[in-house]
Amino acid sequence: MTSTPPHMDPSAQMNLDTLTTTVGEWLRGTGPESDIVMSSRVRLARNLAQYPFVSRASEQDRAEIEKFLRERIALVPAGKELHSIDVGHLEEVDRQFLVERQLISRELAEAQGARSVAIDGREQVSLMINEEDHLRIQCMHSGLDLQGVWNQIRVVDDQIEQAVPYAFHPRWGYLTACPTNVGTGIRVSVMLHLPALVITRQIDKVFRSLHKISLAVRGLYGEGSQAMGDFYQISNQTTLGKTEEELLEQVGDVVPVLIDYERRAREFLVRETQQNVHDQVSRAYGILRTAQTITAEETMQLLSRVRMGVLLGLIGGVDISAINVLLVRTQPAHLQKLRGLELDTKDRNIERARYLRQHFDGNGPKAAAN
Amino acid sequence: MKCQQCDKPAVFHITELEAAEVRELHLCEDHARVYLNQSEAAGGPPEPKPKGGGLTAPLGVGQTADELAALDQKACDMCGITFFEFRNQGRLGCPHDYVHFEKELEPLIANIHGATQHTGRRPSRPTAPGEPLPEGTESLTAVIGMRTGMQEAIECEDYERAKELRDRIRDTEQHWLERPTE
């Protein structure tokens, strides 16, 4: 289902079909605090000084921007480790596949005209060209590792900056299409799994506190997405007037507090309502192992409960990283890529249930190939 | 957006129509209550107090419909986007808009970020002599205007002009790419 983009040597083209057999960085289930923190991510918004922003650019401008950035980035050391994918020529299912792996945004998937993404083999770095801004640099690590992510993305940004003229103003910083990103152009986000705070109905209180300190809460797939399966992304809202390090600190400081709240809520559940929690987790596990048809939303919700059950020691012999993998492989495009067929919603729900039964074969899900 | 009377978030957005004039008010819950009660008692809306630094004036608050219309028609001399188009789309047209619409954007950016001065990283390329901007910024910004001009020339079938602009764009970009680096 992967098309060969016209600008790429086919041998250099990353084969999306092979990605279905590997695990993206945020699903590895490793890194500090990975029982609660799924991933740490930083993205930088950058634009070229000599072109109009994407929404104002002509079709020809967009093609030139894409070519210019792709070719210039390929010259820098960090760029040599990346594989470029021509998103504009991908089929819809492949675009959706990249969204589900968090390698591109929904906005890039749904945009028009020339656009591409360059990804490294470990799926830690992705560079989106012609999203809302000319260039969006993203770096993602498993678990809580904001400093590691920042150290990595800073090097990539510095190298690219030597090869292309970024639009910059001494007062407004890095100039972006939307004034909400101007200045540092940085979005620091941490994805957390907070099922116990949801069950104990403390989550709204926590989110209200976060809003008061200018932090945003989003769902699994970023802006505008619903929180599915008790997964939430916490990120900075402002980008101007603070340094990148201060903004990293703003998000980084709150994460240990959230981890502590979630751990306490989990302890409370085990201490005060163990039978109920055990029942909820076991029922979720039972449905996943026996269902004949199941939606992506229900799967996410049930996997979330099982994930918590494993971490609380209520379910044995199940590997957390395998559950992480199931979270993404049961998404619509992944299922279709794994099956090698385009499936409608009804058939996807049947296929999803079959896939889950196959993996939960009585001994818990098998660890996925990495 | 902050309340025009205090630092709380504005949750009431009131548009007053007086004769041919339109006036917008953005107030927190407390000040909206006071404002609406005064309006009822006096039979008309009170004047909002100007806020520190005159930040509300460029937002169009208290301006007449004619003044707002004139502001909306203001267009960037590089990409051609009008302030009206930006207000509708929420996206700017090119980097130069931050200079061209600086007065209009300042209160908006202050409300979003609570700041109007970048303090983070800067490009390491040197600044032009006597200029705070990174080297080449002015000529590269001018390229955006040349692209707009080239598009217009093509539409008018003035291919000679289009070719001339295309060559100038290429030369400017080439000059930047071939600049001496450390």
Side-chain angles (χ1 to χ4, degrees):
Chain A
M1 282 190 271
T2 308
S3 60
T4 305
H7 62 62
M8 286 298 302
D9 169 3
S11 61
Q13 160 70 1
M14 177 178 261
N15 186 346
L16 292 192
D17 295 330
T18 62
L19 284 185
T20 58
T21 62
T22 62
V23 183
E25 173 64 23
W26 65 283
L27 297 165
R28 283 184 208 282
T30 57
E33 318 287 3
S34 57
D35 56 330
I36 292 171
V37 182
M38 300 290 284
S39 64
S40 306
R41 176 163 54 162
V42 173
R43 78 108 166 97
L44 298 172
R46 299 287 186 255
N47 286 279
L48 296 172
Q50 76 272 36
Y51 281 96
F53 292 136
V54 176
S55 64
R56 191 81 185 165
S58 67
E59 210 170 302
Q60 188 183 335
D61 286 341
R62 290 186 197 202
E64 284 178 19
I65 293 163
E66 196 282 324
K67 184 171 183 286
F68 179 80
L69 279 171
R70 176 167 40 79
E71 290 180 353
R72 299 295 297 172
I73 289 169
L75 298 174
V76 305
K80 292 187 200 315
E81 294 167 17
L82 304 176
H83 305 272
S84 177
I85 298 172
D86 181 350
V87 177
H89 284 82
L90 287 182
E91 289 177 30
E92 193 186 336
V93 69
D94 288 325
R95 295 199 301 270
Q96 181 58 29
F97 175 82
L98 293 171
V99 173
E100 289 171 5
R101 284 182 101 78
Q102 305 224 328
L103 293 171
I104 67 170
S105 63
R106 283 182 305 170
E107 185 159 353
L108 189 80
E110 291 162 11
Q112 299 294 314
R115 60 202 192 279
S116 65
V117 63
I119 304 162
D120 74 323
R122 293 193 68 192
E123 297 180 47
Q124 286 187 332
V125 177
S126 80
L127 308 184
M128 286 187 281
I129 301 179
N130 281 346
E131 206 242 29
E132 180 181 295
D133 294 295
H134 295 152
L135 181 64
R136 289 274 175 106
I137 309 171
Q138 174 186 280
C139 186
M140 186 160 49
H141 287 183
S142 188
L144 181 58
D145 184 24
L146 284 175
Q147 197 55 51
V149 174
W150 173 237
N151 291 342
Q152 187 174 10
I153 201 168
R154 201 171 44 179
V155 171
V156 176
D157 186 41
D158 283 344
Q159 290 179 5
I160 296 174
E161 192 245 314
Q162 293 299 316
V164 306
Y166 282 155
F168 182 86
H169 186 278
R171 182 182 185 194
W172 302 120
Y174 291 94
L175 305 176
T176 54
C178 183
T180 54
N181 295 315
V182 78
T184 55
I186 198 172
R187 190 76 66 210
V188 180
S189 59
V190 175
M191 197 203 296
L192 300 146
H193 184 217
L194 304 172
L197 286 175
V198 173
I199 293 170
T200 56
R201 299 176 196 278
Q202 295 178 75
I203 200 83
D204 287 341
K205 204 172 100 188
V206 170
F207 290 167
R208 277 199 298 274
S209 312
L210 292 175
H211 282 299
K212 280 184 192 163
I213 52 169
S214 294
L215 293 177
V217 181
R218 298 187 171 91
L220 187 58
Y221 288 103
E223 206 162 342
S225 71
Q226 293 295 309
M228 286 193 294
D230 314 321
F231 295 99
Y232 299 91
Q233 289 190 60
I234 312 296
S235 58
N236 59 305
Q237 260 178 330
T238 62
T239 53
L240 182 76
K242 287 193 171 75
T243 65
E244 290 81 357
E245 284 81 5
E246 285 169 339
L247 291 165
L248 276 169
E249 216 174 275
Q250 190 187 18
V251 177
D253 281 354
V254 86
V255 175
V257 179
L258 293 174
I259 291 171
D260 186 45
Y261 284 165
E262 172 66 17
R263 292 228 168 95
R264 283 195 213 177
R266 288 182 188 186
E267 283 165 17
F268 171 83
L269 287 175
V270 170
R271 197 174 59 241
E272 304 291 332
T273 64
Q274 184 168 14
Q275 210 164 23
N276 282 349
V277 174
H278 203 164
D279 182 64
Q280 273 191 38
V281 166
S282 302
R283 281 170 187 272
Y285 195 27
I287 293 171
L288 289 170
R289 292 169 69 178
T290 56
Q292 299 298 307
T293 173
I294 190 164
T295 63
E297 289 76 21
E298 188 181 5
T299 303
M300 186 78 86
Q301 198 55 46
L302 297 175
L303 283 171
S304 163
R305 289 291 187 267
V306 169
R307 192 178 189 277
M308 183 183 70
V310 172
L311 292 164
L312 291 178
L314 301 173
I315 297 176
V318 179
D319 183 23
I320 281 294
S321 65
I323 296 186
N324 291 357
V325 171
L326 285 176
L327 285 167
V328 79
R329 288 198 184 159
T330 52
Q331 297 287 315
H334 272 75
L335 269 185
Q336 294 176 81
K337 299 276 299 170
L338 284 164
R339 193 79 172 88
L341 285 174
E342 283 194 32
L343 302 168
D344 62 18
T345 308
K346 183 176 160 238
D347 286 341
R348 278 204 304 272
N349 291 346
I350 294 169
E351 174 59 22
R352 184 175 295 111
R354 191 196 66 75
Y355 187 77
L356 286 163
R357 287 198 309 276
Q358 183 189 321
H359 282 262
F360 285 102
D361 58 3
N363 297 313
K366 294 165 187 166
N370 193 349
Chain B
M1 182 178 286
K2 285 182 185 170
C3 172
Q4 287 170 235
Q5 308 281 349
C6 67
D7 283 330
K8 289 182 190 167
V11 290
F12 281 79
H13 306 280
I14 302 162
T15 304
E16 290 287 359
L17 297 170
E18 298 170 86
E21 288 193 359
V22 177
R23 197 172 62 178
E24 289 180 29
L25 298 161
H26 307 281
L27 303 167
C28 68
E29 195 174 347
D30 294 341
H31 281 108
R33 193 175 294 123
V34 171
Y35 172 78
L36 293 169
N37 287 341
Q38 282 177 348
S39 292
E40 277 176 20
E47 288 295 316
K49 288 179 205 159
K51 217 177 126 198
L55 290 182
T56 51
L59 257 187
V61 177
Q63 287 179 298
T64 65
D66 284 349
E67 285 168 334
L68 286 171
L71 172 63
D72 277 347
Q73 290 311 307
K74 187 175 173 183
C76 171
D77 44 11
M78 292 297 159
C79 70
I81 196 171
T82 61
F83 199 69
F84 177 76
E85 285 175 290
F86 162 65
R87 285 206 302 131
N88 268 351
Q89 299 159 8
R91 301 286 180 275
L92 291 160
C94 76
H96 185 64
D97 293 348
Y98 283 94
V99 177
H100 191 78
F101 297 120
E102 185 160 17
K103 206 174 80 177
E104 292 80 14
L105 288 173
E106 186 180 299
L108 178 71
I109 291 174
N111 275 317
I112 295 169
H113 299 285
T116 56
Q117 177 62 56
H118 175 62
T119 56
R121 276 151 62 85
R122 349 173 14 107
S124 61
R125 66 182 196 266
T127 53
E131 283 277 337
L133 295 167
E135 203 173 45
T137 297
E138 264 184 41
S139 58
L140 291 165
T141 302
V143 165
I144 299 171
M146 289 182 217
R147 288 185 205 284
T148 309
M150 189 170 73
Q151 197 58 40
E152 286 165 0
I154 291 169
E155 280 162 19
C156 299
E157 299 185 5
D158 186 350
Y159 298 114
E160 202 171 320
R161 171 83 179 139
K163 182 178 173 298
E164 182 200 326
L165 287 169
R166 187 198 62 194
D167 292 346
R168 281 174 58 197
I169 291 168
R170 192 189 53 210
D171 291 347
T172 310
E173 286 185 325
Q174 206 57 34
H175 186 258
W176 190 88
L177 292 175
E178 289 170 2
R179 77 202 187 287
T181 50
E182 290 167 26

